[in-house]
Amino acid sequence: MPADFPISKLLRWFRHHQRPMPWRPTASRPANPYHVLVSEAMLQQTQVATVIPYFERFIKSFPTVDALANADEQAVLTRWQGLGYYRRARHLHAAAKAVVKEHHGQVPDRAKTLLALPGVGPYTAGAVASVAYDTPEPIVDGNVARVYARFYGLHDAVDRPDTLKTLWSLAQTNVTASKSPRDFNQSVMELGALVCTPKKTTCTACPLKQACKALAEGTVDRLPVKTPKKKPTAVTHRVLAIYRQTQRGRRYLFVQRPAQGLWSRMWQFPTDETANADLAGDLGLKIAPPNPVSSFTHLTTHRTVRFNVEQARVLSGRLLPQAGVWRPLNRLVDLPLAKPQQQAAAQVAATHYCA
Ligand code: SF4
């Protein structure tokens, strides 16, 4: 029989220690379900402090679910630029369209209905239903799993299906027993983010310390157990910044990525991911021998990508129709670029302006 979870103590702690967040309901600011939905999309794989300025900028551009549903995809991606994991932005855009089309512009209040929206999994559905509508829906994310694995002393890997089932069941029991599902769910996540952290855990400040199994048995540093991840594959991409010299300065060529796959429909310098493409020739251009600019590494979920950046001037030829756009490097605000391409553009600009 698992120990009783000290719900009241945790809620008391939350009232004093919660961080202000622009989407978080307060006594003077009622819950806005659209804001909660946007924040949850942004918070996947990203820390609160990083998300706040992006959230504020995004809400300024798309203040309502209707505004987002009616927006152009490129505008949505541009506003998301820098947050990474762009599939989340596309899913959020599609979810807003579904809310307008199928739910009269009202974000659903039940996890089961929310689950049918694009990109909404069990965690997001539970978070939106509980935080926006105060309904007793459970949530389990990395923070919650860590708190429960330690508090209840769960020694099986938290990503195993049977352990996940246990975690969801504990989360359901606790949120149902709490008087405020909204505050309860937020308080477990906040404890995981501020006190029951992966490293440098501050158990002395924890409201759960008197009943915590991991603290009693001395296993805080060993929990939660996770299945070891596969090593990411190492690949190399060649980025070629091709430019035309015009009377008003250099114009660089940007091409759009395909509709499928990583960074789909975002823009970039012509980039070779296969190590045998004729980047300029395939676009109808003849270029001078490229000069190296920089090299850097970017991590994606499953890969370590080495980007080797070069630049080269166009000597002759004509860009194939619809193949790309020419832009000065200081006018890219309406072209959504993935983070490594932004980095490449900044490095090309630095060499150009230093030259
Ligand atoms: S006592 Fe320590 S390990 Fe236990 S829940 Fe609190 S912070 Fe986590």
Side-chain angles (χ1 to χ4, degrees):
M1 190 65 188
D4 281 344
F5 200 75
I7 294 172
S8 315
K9 280 186 183 171
L10 180 59
L11 288 172
R12 246 192 327 273
W13 173 87
F14 180 66
R15 275 196 285 281
H16 289 107
H17 294 91
Q18 61 175 306
R19 293 165 292 175
M21 298 177 194
W23 54 83
R24 185 166 259 176
T26 63
S28 56
R29 186 177 56 210
N32 181 324
Y34 167 62
H35 287 188
V36 177
L37 181 67
V38 172
S39 71
E40 288 302 337
M42 289 186 167
L43 286 165
Q44 288 164 28
Q45 328 244 17
T46 313
Q47 305 250 341
V48 168
T50 308
V51 164
I52 288 176
Y54 285 95
F55 173 85
E56 287 173 334
R57 209 170 56 140
F58 195 87
I59 292 297
K60 214 168 165 193
S61 298
F62 313 113
T64 62
V65 73
D66 287 86
L68 180 58
N70 293 324
D72 174 67
E73 185 189 73
Q74 294 289 299
V76 176
L77 292 176
T78 304
R79 278 288 164 246
W80 197 273
Q81 187 163 280
L83 262 181
Y85 301 100
Y86 291 89
R87 197 183 311 164
R88 295 178 299 168
R90 291 199 178 85
H91 279 151
L92 177 62
H93 192 203
K97 289 181 186 197
V99 167
V100 169
K101 198 167 162 213
E102 293 156 27
H103 303 283
H104 312 289
Q106 183 72 34
V107 175
D109 59 355
R110 297 176 53 127
K112 217 170 151 189
T113 321
L114 283 156
L115 271 173
L117 296 177
V120 174
Y123 163 76
T124 305
V128 173
S130 60
V131 177
Y133 296 106
D134 208 16
T135 56
E137 298 283 0
I139 52 163
V140 175
D141 70 345
N143 282 332
V144 176
R146 185 168 57 255
V147 171
Y148 284 167
R150 286 172 173 170
F151 179 82
Y152 292 108
L154 308 177
H155 286 259
D156 289 327
V158 284
D159 45 7
R160 272 177 49 166
D162 49 346
T163 321
L164 276 172
K165 209 169 152 195
T166 304
L167 290 168
W168 278 98
S169 153
L170 290 166
Q172 178 72 74
T173 305
N174 291 336
V175 76
T176 306
S178 77
K179 288 203 185 83
S180 169
R182 168 183 292 146
D183 285 355
F184 176 75
N185 278 351
Q186 292 188 98
S187 67
V188 187
M189 287 192 285
E190 200 74 329
L191 190 79
L194 300 179
V195 174
C196 194
T197 45
K199 290 186 185 137
K200 295 190 184 154
T201 311
T202 44
C203 297
T204 47
C206 180
L208 315 183
K209 65 185 174 204
Q210 269 144 2
C212 176
K213 194 139 178 221
L215 185 61
E217 64 185 20
T219 54
V220 174
D221 293 342
R222 274 180 271 150
L223 297 178
V225 174
K226 289 184 187 160
T227 309
K229 280 198 183 126
K230 277 195 207 143
K231 232 180 135 193
T233 319
V235 294
T236 301
H237 289 179
R238 177 177 170 239
V239 176
L240 184 57
I242 301 173
Y243 66 91
R244 282 192 296 133
Q245 193 66 47
T246 73
Q247 283 182 341
R248 285 182 295 153
R250 289 185 184 181
R251 297 290 182 266
Y252 282 84
L253 178 59
F254 288 87
V255 297
Q256 197 170 22
R257 290 183 65 85
Q260 302 300 326
L262 187 64
W263 301 313
S264 56
R265 290 194 291 275
M266 299 194 72
W267 293 79
Q268 62 182 23
F269 291 121
T271 299
D272 181 12
E273 298 176 8
T274 61
N276 58 15
D278 176 5
L279 290 172
D282 289 350
L283 293 162
L285 301 170
K286 190 165 182 319
I287 55 171
N291 294 316
V293 172
S294 64
S295 283
F296 61 90
T297 301
H298 178 84
L299 296 179
T300 68
T301 317
H302 304 295
R303 294 189 301 175
T304 305
V305 188
R306 185 84 189 150
F307 284 90
N308 292 329
V309 187
E310 301 173 344
Q311 66 177 328
R313 187 164 61 85
V314 174
L315 295 176
S316 61
R318 181 177 282 268
L319 182 65
L320 297 179
Q322 319 282 321
V325 294
W326 297 98
R327 285 292 174 86
L329 292 178
N330 59 5
R331 202 162 62 74
L332 301 176
V333 280
D334 62 331
L335 279 193
L337 306 182
K339 205 162 185 184
Q341 293 289 334
Q342 285 177 45
Q343 196 170 337
Q347 289 169 348
V348 171
T351 60
H352 172 33
Y353 295 117
C354 288

mmCIF file of all heavy atoms in Angstrom, residues 21-24 29 32-43 48-62 79-80 83 92:
data_model
loop_
_atom_site.group_PDB
_atom_site.id
_atom_site.type_symbol
_atom_site.label_atom_id
_atom_site.label_comp_id
_atom_site.label_asym_id
_atom_site.label_seq_id
_atom_site.Cartn_x
_atom_site.Cartn_y
_atom_site.Cartn_z
ATOM 1 N N MET A 21 3.939 33.091 -13.873
ATOM 2 C CA MET A 21 4.041 32.746 -15.300
ATOM 3 C C MET A 21 2.879 33.422 -16.006
ATOM 4 O O MET A 21 1.766 33.433 -15.470
ATOM 5 C CB MET A 21 3.940 31.231 -15.502
ATOM 6 C CG MET A 21 5.048 30.463 -14.832
ATOM 7 S SD MET A 21 4.836 28.682 -15.018
ATOM 8 C CE MET A 21 6.009 28.093 -13.789
ATOM 9 N N PRO A 22 3.106 33.984 -17.199
ATOM 10 C CA PRO A 22 2.055 34.786 -17.833
ATOM 11 C C PRO A 22 0.802 33.988 -18.207
ATOM 12 O O PRO A 22 -0.234 34.585 -18.427
ATOM 13 C CB PRO A 22 2.734 35.367 -19.081
ATOM 14 C CG PRO A 22 3.978 34.579 -19.275
ATOM 15 C CD PRO A 22 4.365 34.008 -17.953
ATOM 16 N N TRP A 23 0.875 32.685 -18.237
ATOM 17 C CA TRP A 23 -0.289 31.860 -18.588
ATOM 18 C C TRP A 23 -0.941 31.262 -17.333
ATOM 19 O O TRP A 23 -1.972 30.635 -17.406
ATOM 20 C CB TRP A 23 0.123 30.714 -19.517
ATOM 21 C CG TRP A 23 1.243 29.899 -18.958
ATOM 22 C CD1 TRP A 23 1.163 28.872 -18.065
ATOM 23 C CD2 TRP A 23 2.642 30.075 -19.237
ATOM 24 N NE1 TRP A 23 2.409 28.394 -17.761
ATOM 25 C CE2 TRP A 23 3.342 29.107 -18.474
ATOM 26 C CE3 TRP A 23 3.371 30.942 -20.054
ATOM 27 C CZ2 TRP A 23 4.725 28.994 -18.510
ATOM 28 C CZ3 TRP A 23 4.746 30.823 -20.088
ATOM 29 C CH2 TRP A 23 5.419 29.867 -19.313
ATOM 30 N N ARG A 24 -0.284 31.469 -16.183
ATOM 31 C CA ARG A 24 -0.743 30.807 -14.951
ATOM 32 C C ARG A 24 -1.907 31.596 -14.358
ATOM 33 O O ARG A 24 -1.786 32.794 -14.105
ATOM 34 C CB ARG A 24 0.432 30.745 -13.974
ATOM 35 C CG ARG A 24 0.140 30.004 -12.721
ATOM 36 C CD ARG A 24 1.440 29.699 -11.972
ATOM 37 N NE ARG A 24 1.831 28.319 -12.202
ATOM 38 C CZ ARG A 24 2.960 27.769 -11.756
ATOM 39 N NH1 ARG A 24 3.828 28.487 -11.087
ATOM 40 N NH2 ARG A 24 3.220 26.503 -11.990
ATOM 41 N N ARG A 29 -6.351 37.000 -12.184
ATOM 42 C CA ARG A 29 -6.337 36.696 -13.629
ATOM 43 C C ARG A 29 -6.943 35.306 -13.851
ATOM 44 O O ARG A 29 -6.314 34.292 -13.583
ATOM 45 C CB ARG A 29 -4.902 36.730 -14.158
ATOM 46 C CG ARG A 29 -4.816 36.563 -15.671
ATOM 47 C CD ARG A 29 -3.377 36.670 -16.152
ATOM 48 N NE ARG A 29 -2.496 35.716 -15.500
ATOM 49 C CZ ARG A 29 -1.203 35.921 -15.267
ATOM 50 N NH1 ARG A 29 -0.634 37.025 -15.619
ATOM 51 N NH2 ARG A 29 -0.469 34.990 -14.650
ATOM 52 N N ASN A 32 -7.096 31.277 -18.840
ATOM 53 C CA ASN A 32 -7.403 31.442 -20.258
ATOM 54 C C ASN A 32 -6.999 30.131 -20.947
ATOM 55 O O ASN A 32 -5.804 29.856 -21.128
ATOM 56 C CB ASN A 32 -6.612 32.624 -20.819
ATOM 57 C CG ASN A 32 -6.910 32.844 -22.297
ATOM 58 O OD1 ASN A 32 -7.103 31.894 -23.049
ATOM 59 N ND2 ASN A 32 -6.948 34.104 -22.709
ATOM 60 N N PRO A 33 -7.974 29.285 -21.314
ATOM 61 C CA PRO A 33 -7.630 27.962 -21.848
ATOM 62 C C PRO A 33 -6.731 28.019 -23.089
ATOM 63 O O PRO A 33 -5.851 27.172 -23.257
ATOM 64 C CB PRO A 33 -9.002 27.365 -22.191
ATOM 65 C CG PRO A 33 -9.950 28.062 -21.267
ATOM 66 C CD PRO A 33 -9.423 29.466 -21.138
ATOM 67 N N TYR A 34 -6.912 29.041 -23.928
ATOM 68 C CA TYR A 34 -6.049 29.172 -25.117
ATOM 69 C C TYR A 34 -4.604 29.423 -24.677
ATOM 70 O O TYR A 34 -3.671 28.806 -25.204
ATOM 71 C CB TYR A 34 -6.579 30.304 -26.005
ATOM 72 C CG TYR A 34 -5.625 30.736 -27.092
ATOM 73 C CD1 TYR A 34 -5.214 29.846 -28.085
ATOM 74 C CD2 TYR A 34 -5.116 32.039 -27.123
ATOM 75 C CE1 TYR A 34 -4.323 30.251 -29.078
ATOM 76 C CE2 TYR A 34 -4.238 32.445 -28.111
ATOM 77 C CZ TYR A 34 -3.840 31.546 -29.091
ATOM 78 O OH TYR A 34 -2.957 31.940 -30.075
ATOM 79 N N HIS A 35 -4.412 30.316 -23.701
ATOM 80 C CA HIS A 35 -3.057 30.587 -23.210
ATOM 81 C C HIS A 35 -2.426 29.319 -22.628
ATOM 82 O O HIS A 35 -1.246 29.059 -22.816
ATOM 83 C CB HIS A 35 -3.088 31.668 -22.127
ATOM 84 C CG HIS A 35 -3.355 33.043 -22.674
ATOM 85 N ND1 HIS A 35 -3.264 34.180 -21.919
ATOM 86 C CD2 HIS A 35 -3.708 33.455 -23.916
ATOM 87 C CE1 HIS A 35 -3.544 35.235 -22.660
ATOM 88 N NE2 HIS A 35 -3.827 34.821 -23.876
ATOM 89 N N VAL A 36 -3.228 28.544 -21.905
ATOM 90 C CA VAL A 36 -2.686 27.313 -21.300
ATOM 91 C C VAL A 36 -2.284 26.330 -22.410
ATOM 92 O O VAL A 36 -1.209 25.720 -22.364
ATOM 93 C CB VAL A 36 -3.712 26.671 -20.342
ATOM 94 C CG1 VAL A 36 -3.178 25.362 -19.784
ATOM 95 C CG2 VAL A 36 -4.038 27.627 -19.194
ATOM 96 N N LEU A 37 -3.112 26.233 -23.444
ATOM 97 C CA LEU A 37 -2.793 25.327 -24.559
ATOM 98 C C LEU A 37 -1.485 25.746 -25.238
ATOM 99 O O LEU A 37 -0.615 24.910 -25.499
ATOM 100 C CB LEU A 37 -3.948 25.342 -25.578
ATOM 101 C CG LEU A 37 -3.795 24.430 -26.788
ATOM 102 C CD1 LEU A 37 -3.828 22.955 -26.378
ATOM 103 C CD2 LEU A 37 -4.896 24.689 -27.825
ATOM 104 N N VAL A 38 -1.328 27.051 -25.504
ATOM 105 C CA VAL A 38 -0.093 27.536 -26.146
ATOM 106 C C VAL A 38 1.101 27.260 -25.235
ATOM 107 O O VAL A 38 2.139 26.757 -25.674
ATOM 108 C CB VAL A 38 -0.197 29.057 -26.458
ATOM 109 C CG1 VAL A 38 1.145 29.606 -26.939
ATOM 110 C CG2 VAL A 38 -1.286 29.328 -27.488
ATOM 111 N N SER A 39 0.947 27.560 -23.954
ATOM 112 C CA SER A 39 2.085 27.383 -23.041
ATOM 113 C C SER A 39 2.489 25.911 -22.969
ATOM 114 O O SER A 39 3.674 25.587 -22.973
ATOM 115 C CB SER A 39 1.756 27.916 -21.653
ATOM 116 O OG SER A 39 0.820 27.086 -21.005
ATOM 117 N N GLU A 40 1.521 25.017 -22.938
ATOM 118 C CA GLU A 40 1.862 23.594 -22.840
ATOM 119 C C GLU A 40 2.583 23.113 -24.100
ATOM 120 O O GLU A 40 3.484 22.294 -24.033
ATOM 121 C CB GLU A 40 0.616 22.748 -22.566
ATOM 122 C CG GLU A 40 0.068 22.911 -21.151
ATOM 123 C CD GLU A 40 1.080 22.565 -20.068
ATOM 124 O OE1 GLU A 40 2.029 21.815 -20.318
ATOM 125 O OE2 GLU A 40 0.920 23.085 -18.940
ATOM 126 N N ALA A 41 2.184 23.627 -25.262
ATOM 127 C CA ALA A 41 2.892 23.264 -26.502
ATOM 128 C C ALA A 41 4.336 23.757 -26.428
ATOM 129 O O ALA A 41 5.277 23.050 -26.813
ATOM 130 C CB ALA A 41 2.172 23.862 -27.711
ATOM 131 N N MET A 42 4.526 24.976 -25.911
ATOM 132 C CA MET A 42 5.881 25.535 -25.861
ATOM 133 C C MET A 42 6.751 24.862 -24.802
ATOM 134 O O MET A 42 7.966 24.758 -24.954
ATOM 135 C CB MET A 42 5.808 27.032 -25.566
ATOM 136 C CG MET A 42 5.265 27.834 -26.720
ATOM 137 S SD MET A 42 5.361 29.608 -26.394
ATOM 138 C CE MET A 42 5.049 30.236 -28.058
ATOM 139 N N LEU A 43 6.115 24.424 -23.707
ATOM 140 C CA LEU A 43 6.893 23.885 -22.587
ATOM 141 C C LEU A 43 7.401 22.469 -22.835
ATOM 142 O O LEU A 43 8.242 21.982 -22.086
ATOM 143 C CB LEU A 43 6.051 23.914 -21.307
ATOM 144 C CG LEU A 43 5.862 25.307 -20.691
ATOM 145 C CD1 LEU A 43 4.741 25.302 -19.665
ATOM 146 C CD2 LEU A 43 7.152 25.803 -20.049
ATOM 147 N N VAL A 48 10.751 26.761 -18.465
ATOM 148 C CA VAL A 48 9.818 27.879 -18.282
ATOM 149 C C VAL A 48 10.472 29.227 -18.616
ATOM 150 O O VAL A 48 9.918 30.047 -19.355
ATOM 151 C CB VAL A 48 9.294 27.899 -16.825
ATOM 152 C CG1 VAL A 48 8.574 29.200 -16.511
ATOM 153 C CG2 VAL A 48 8.366 26.714 -16.577
ATOM 154 N N ALA A 49 11.684 29.457 -18.080
ATOM 155 C CA ALA A 49 12.326 30.772 -18.268
ATOM 156 C C ALA A 49 12.560 31.051 -19.754
ATOM 157 O O ALA A 49 12.451 32.192 -20.207
ATOM 158 C CB ALA A 49 13.642 30.809 -17.511
ATOM 159 N N THR A 50 12.873 30.012 -20.522
ATOM 160 C CA THR A 50 13.091 30.197 -21.968
ATOM 161 C C THR A 50 11.772 30.499 -22.653
ATOM 162 O O THR A 50 11.712 31.331 -23.566
ATOM 163 C CB THR A 50 13.690 28.895 -22.576
ATOM 164 O OG1 THR A 50 14.812 28.528 -21.809
ATOM 165 C CG2 THR A 50 14.064 29.055 -24.034
ATOM 166 N N VAL A 51 10.707 29.821 -22.204
ATOM 167 C CA VAL A 51 9.415 29.943 -22.901
ATOM 168 C C VAL A 51 8.777 31.319 -22.724
ATOM 169 O O VAL A 51 8.162 31.838 -23.669
ATOM 170 C CB VAL A 51 8.455 28.819 -22.411
ATOM 171 C CG1 VAL A 51 7.018 29.127 -22.783
ATOM 172 C CG2 VAL A 51 8.875 27.472 -22.996
ATOM 173 N N ILE A 52 8.934 31.936 -21.546
ATOM 174 C CA ILE A 52 8.158 33.167 -21.243
ATOM 175 C C ILE A 52 8.236 34.238 -22.347
ATOM 176 O O ILE A 52 7.194 34.671 -22.852
ATOM 177 C CB ILE A 52 8.537 33.730 -19.851
ATOM 178 C CG1 ILE A 52 7.952 32.789 -18.789
ATOM 179 C CG2 ILE A 52 7.994 35.155 -19.640
ATOM 180 C CD1 ILE A 52 8.317 33.134 -17.356
ATOM 181 N N PRO A 53 9.430 34.670 -22.796
ATOM 182 C CA PRO A 53 9.433 35.722 -23.837
ATOM 183 C C PRO A 53 8.810 35.258 -25.162
ATOM 184 O O PRO A 53 8.155 36.044 -25.845
ATOM 185 C CB PRO A 53 10.912 36.058 -24.022
ATOM 186 C CG PRO A 53 11.675 34.973 -23.349
ATOM 187 C CD PRO A 53 10.787 34.358 -22.331
ATOM 188 N N TYR A 54 8.997 33.978 -25.502
ATOM 189 C CA TYR A 54 8.387 33.459 -26.742
ATOM 190 C C TYR A 54 6.867 33.458 -26.619
ATOM 191 O O TYR A 54 6.151 33.803 -27.548
ATOM 192 C CB TYR A 54 8.876 32.029 -27.026
ATOM 193 C CG TYR A 54 10.283 31.982 -27.551
ATOM 194 C CD1 TYR A 54 11.354 31.777 -26.698
ATOM 195 C CD2 TYR A 54 10.546 32.163 -28.901
ATOM 196 C CE1 TYR A 54 12.653 31.747 -27.162
ATOM 197 C CE2 TYR A 54 11.845 32.133 -29.380
ATOM 198 C CZ TYR A 54 12.888 31.922 -28.508
ATOM 199 O OH TYR A 54 14.173 31.898 -28.972
ATOM 200 N N PHE A 55 6.388 33.055 -25.439
ATOM 201 C CA PHE A 55 4.941 33.012 -25.208
ATOM 202 C C PHE A 55 4.359 34.415 -25.370
ATOM 203 O O PHE A 55 3.347 34.617 -26.049
ATOM 204 C CB PHE A 55 4.672 32.471 -23.792
ATOM 205 C CG PHE A 55 3.234 32.545 -23.388
ATOM 206 C CD1 PHE A 55 2.343 31.540 -23.744
ATOM 207 C CD2 PHE A 55 2.754 33.624 -22.659
ATOM 208 C CE1 PHE A 55 1.009 31.611 -23.378
ATOM 209 C CE2 PHE A 55 1.420 33.701 -22.292
ATOM 210 C CZ PHE A 55 0.543 32.696 -22.653
ATOM 211 N N GLU A 56 5.008 35.404 -24.755
ATOM 212 C CA GLU A 56 4.458 36.770 -24.800
ATOM 213 C C GLU A 56 4.435 37.305 -26.229
ATOM 214 O O GLU A 56 3.478 37.917 -26.668
ATOM 215 C CB GLU A 56 5.257 37.680 -23.863
ATOM 216 C CG GLU A 56 4.901 37.331 -22.418
ATOM 217 C CD GLU A 56 5.732 38.038 -21.369
ATOM 218 O OE1 GLU A 56 6.880 38.424 -21.672
ATOM 219 O OE2 GLU A 56 5.225 38.169 -20.235
ATOM 220 N N ARG A 57 5.492 37.006 -26.959
ATOM 221 C CA ARG A 57 5.586 37.458 -28.368
ATOM 222 C C ARG A 57 4.516 36.759 -29.208
ATOM 223 O O ARG A 57 3.860 37.370 -30.044
ATOM 224 C CB ARG A 57 6.982 37.076 -28.875
ATOM 225 C CG ARG A 57 7.535 37.983 -29.946
ATOM 226 C CD ARG A 57 8.994 37.656 -30.185
ATOM 227 N NE ARG A 57 9.193 36.251 -30.539
ATOM 228 C CZ ARG A 57 10.044 35.828 -31.462
ATOM 229 N NH1 ARG A 57 10.771 36.671 -32.119
ATOM 230 N NH2 ARG A 57 10.176 34.546 -31.735
ATOM 231 N N PHE A 58 4.329 35.484 -28.966
ATOM 232 C CA PHE A 58 3.380 34.673 -29.733
ATOM 233 C C PHE A 58 1.952 35.162 -29.487
ATOM 234 O O PHE A 58 1.166 35.346 -30.412
ATOM 235 C CB PHE A 58 3.527 33.208 -29.309
ATOM 236 C CG PHE A 58 2.893 32.209 -30.241
ATOM 237 C CD1 PHE A 58 3.588 31.706 -31.324
ATOM 238 C CD2 PHE A 58 1.598 31.761 -30.022
ATOM 239 C CE1 PHE A 58 3.009 30.779 -32.178
ATOM 240 C CE2 PHE A 58 1.000 30.844 -30.869
ATOM 241 C CZ PHE A 58 1.714 30.347 -31.951
ATOM 242 N N ILE A 59 1.629 35.402 -28.199
ATOM 243 C CA ILE A 59 0.268 35.834 -27.850
ATOM 244 C C ILE A 59 -0.005 37.242 -28.380
ATOM 245 O O ILE A 59 -1.126 37.574 -28.762
ATOM 246 C CB ILE A 59 0.059 35.758 -26.316
ATOM 247 C CG1 ILE A 59 0.072 34.300 -25.859
ATOM 248 C CG2 ILE A 59 -1.236 36.440 -25.879
ATOM 249 C CD1 ILE A 59 -1.043 33.415 -26.402
ATOM 250 N N LYS A 60 1.021 38.057 -28.445
ATOM 251 C CA LYS A 60 0.859 39.406 -29.014
ATOM 252 C C LYS A 60 0.484 39.286 -30.503
ATOM 253 O O LYS A 60 -0.376 40.013 -31.004
ATOM 254 C CB LYS A 60 2.182 40.166 -28.875
ATOM 255 C CG LYS A 60 1.986 41.625 -28.625
ATOM 256 C CD LYS A 60 3.302 42.237 -28.220
ATOM 257 C CE LYS A 60 3.184 43.741 -28.342
ATOM 258 N NZ LYS A 60 4.451 44.401 -28.266
ATOM 259 N N SER A 61 1.123 38.348 -31.191
ATOM 260 C CA SER A 61 0.825 38.169 -32.624
ATOM 261 C C SER A 61 -0.494 37.440 -32.843
ATOM 262 O O SER A 61 -1.214 37.736 -33.793
ATOM 263 C CB SER A 61 1.932 37.355 -33.303
ATOM 264 O OG SER A 61 3.128 38.033 -33.229
ATOM 265 N N PHE A 62 -0.779 36.461 -31.988
ATOM 266 C CA PHE A 62 -1.995 35.644 -32.159
ATOM 267 C C PHE A 62 -2.758 35.653 -30.828
ATOM 268 O O PHE A 62 -2.691 34.695 -30.050
ATOM 269 C CB PHE A 62 -1.624 34.208 -32.553
ATOM 270 C CG PHE A 62 -0.609 34.133 -33.654
ATOM 271 C CD1 PHE A 62 0.669 33.624 -33.410
ATOM 272 C CD2 PHE A 62 -0.904 34.588 -34.931
ATOM 273 C CE1 PHE A 62 1.626 33.577 -34.412
ATOM 274 C CE2 PHE A 62 0.043 34.549 -35.936
ATOM 275 C CZ PHE A 62 1.314 34.042 -35.675
ATOM 276 N N ARG A 79 7.131 33.206 -35.707
ATOM 277 C CA ARG A 79 6.932 33.579 -34.303
ATOM 278 C C ARG A 79 7.478 32.496 -33.358
ATOM 279 O O ARG A 79 7.761 32.757 -32.202
ATOM 280 C CB ARG A 79 5.438 33.806 -34.021
ATOM 281 C CG ARG A 79 5.002 35.175 -34.428
ATOM 282 C CD ARG A 79 5.584 36.189 -33.435
ATOM 283 N NE ARG A 79 5.545 37.545 -33.916
ATOM 284 C CZ ARG A 79 6.624 38.287 -34.196
ATOM 285 N NH1 ARG A 79 7.821 37.796 -34.057
ATOM 286 N NH2 ARG A 79 6.507 39.529 -34.598
ATOM 287 N N TRP A 80 7.590 31.279 -33.857
ATOM 288 C CA TRP A 80 8.095 30.156 -33.050
ATOM 289 C C TRP A 80 9.623 30.082 -33.129
ATOM 290 O O TRP A 80 10.273 29.408 -32.338
ATOM 291 C CB TRP A 80 7.492 28.855 -33.582
ATOM 292 C CG TRP A 80 7.583 27.690 -32.647
ATOM 293 C CD1 TRP A 80 8.632 26.813 -32.538
ATOM 294 C CD2 TRP A 80 6.614 27.263 -31.697
ATOM 295 N NE1 TRP A 80 8.350 25.863 -31.590
ATOM 296 C CE2 TRP A 80 7.109 26.115 -31.059
ATOM 297 C CE3 TRP A 80 5.345 27.729 -31.332
ATOM 298 C CZ2 TRP A 80 6.410 25.430 -30.082
ATOM 299 C CZ3 TRP A 80 4.652 27.052 -30.355
ATOM 300 C CH2 TRP A 80 5.175 25.925 -29.737
ATOM 301 N N LEU A 83 12.622 28.537 -30.730
ATOM 302 C CA LEU A 83 12.167 27.579 -29.714
ATOM 303 C C LEU A 83 12.498 26.144 -30.104
ATOM 304 O O LEU A 83 12.563 25.264 -29.259
ATOM 305 C CB LEU A 83 10.650 27.679 -29.532
ATOM 306 C CG LEU A 83 10.116 28.504 -28.371
ATOM 307 C CD1 LEU A 83 8.608 28.451 -28.354
ATOM 308 C CD2 LEU A 83 10.660 28.008 -27.033
ATOM 309 N N LEU A 92 0.234 22.876 -33.004
ATOM 310 C CA LEU A 92 -0.554 23.882 -32.285
ATOM 311 C C LEU A 92 -1.441 24.647 -33.268
ATOM 312 O O LEU A 92 -2.618 24.913 -32.998
ATOM 313 C CB LEU A 92 0.381 24.838 -31.543
ATOM 314 C CG LEU A 92 -0.282 25.990 -30.796
ATOM 315 C CD1 LEU A 92 -1.204 25.475 -29.685
ATOM 316 C CD2 LEU A 92 0.782 26.912 -30.179
#
